[in-house]
Amino acid sequence: MKRVGVLALQGDFEAHSLALARAGAEPVLARTAADLANLDGLVIPGGESSTMLKLLELENLFEPLAGFGRLRPIFGTCAGAILLATDVTHPSQPSLGLMNMSVERNGYGRQIDSRVAHIEPAPEFEQRTHSGELEAVFIRAPIIRRVGPDAHVLASYQGDPVLVEQGRHLVATFHPELGSDSRVHDLFLSKL
Ligand code: GLN
């Protein structure tokens, strides 16, 4: 069984642990650099990326996390996707730079900051999991404004990428851990 860490400093790490367990992995809450040892992969959950950054610095976890990501897959959702990006705007803030992409925080704005959308994934996503639309829960989500040449866009919403894979890493600007559809977690586990 794959051991998958869930960064548990802040945010909805409990929901990701349950989703990983449902998808057949062993979730391990990770709060220190030592907790990153012997993990097959890691999830960085949604929450508040600026708060997570402060906690990462406080715990001296920023560099160990970047080092982990140079060797093993990381799946970042929402705030986790922001932390993985190379460029963050609105406002700009430091990030791990493991995914070549630009993200704009809270890109959908205040008026419609949270919603549930039903989106058609890319054929590649359906081929690698199974077919059917995806229920995407957006909560003060970032918008991915640019992806690098090595990115695979696995789903888009209103023309913007919302599920992107680049090499060993995966990001979603929505919250697959909050629905009953386990395909996004299944896809991540298939990469470990
Ligand atoms: N708006 C949050 C941020 O900028 C992300 C929201 C989320 O993770 N649901 O970090």
Side-chain angles (χ1 to χ4, degrees), residues 45-50 77-80 82 93 105-106 139-142 175:
E48 199 55 44
S49 58
S50 52
T77 57
C78 207
I82 296 169
Q93 66 185 23
R105 295 181 61 200
N106 302 303
I139 305 171
R140 297 185 307 284
H175 288 266

Side-chain angles (χ1 to χ4, degrees), residues 70-131:
R70 287 192 281 272
L71 299 171
R72 301 242 187 277
I74 300 183
F75 174 28
T77 57
C78 207
I82 296 169
L83 289 179
L84 286 178
T86 41
D87 307 284
V88 180
T89 60
H90 195 241
S92 75
Q93 66 185 23
S95 50
L96 295 164
L98 293 166
M99 288 277 289
N100 179 10
M101 63 176 188
S102 306
V103 296
E104 178 185 334
R105 295 181 61 200
N106 302 303
Y108 294 99
R110 268 201 197 141
Q111 272 180 327
I112 39 170
D113 64 358
S114 302
R115 78 192 78 174
V116 180
H118 292 90
I119 58 180
E120 198 64 54
E124 184 187 341
F125 178 82
E126 298 192 312
Q127 279 153 19
R128 289 167 63 188
T129 58
H130 37 90
S131 50

Side-chain angles (χ1 to χ4, degrees), residues 69 73-74 84-86 97-101 146-154 163-171 191:
I74 300 183
L84 286 178
T86 41
L98 293 166
M99 288 277 289
N100 179 10
M101 63 176 188
R146 177 193 65 81
V147 295
D150 299 335
H152 290 239
V153 175
L154 299 176
L163 180 65
V164 180
E165 177 182 46
Q166 181 198 300
R168 67 177 73 86
H169 304 309
L170 181 70
V171 295
K191 295 164 65 59

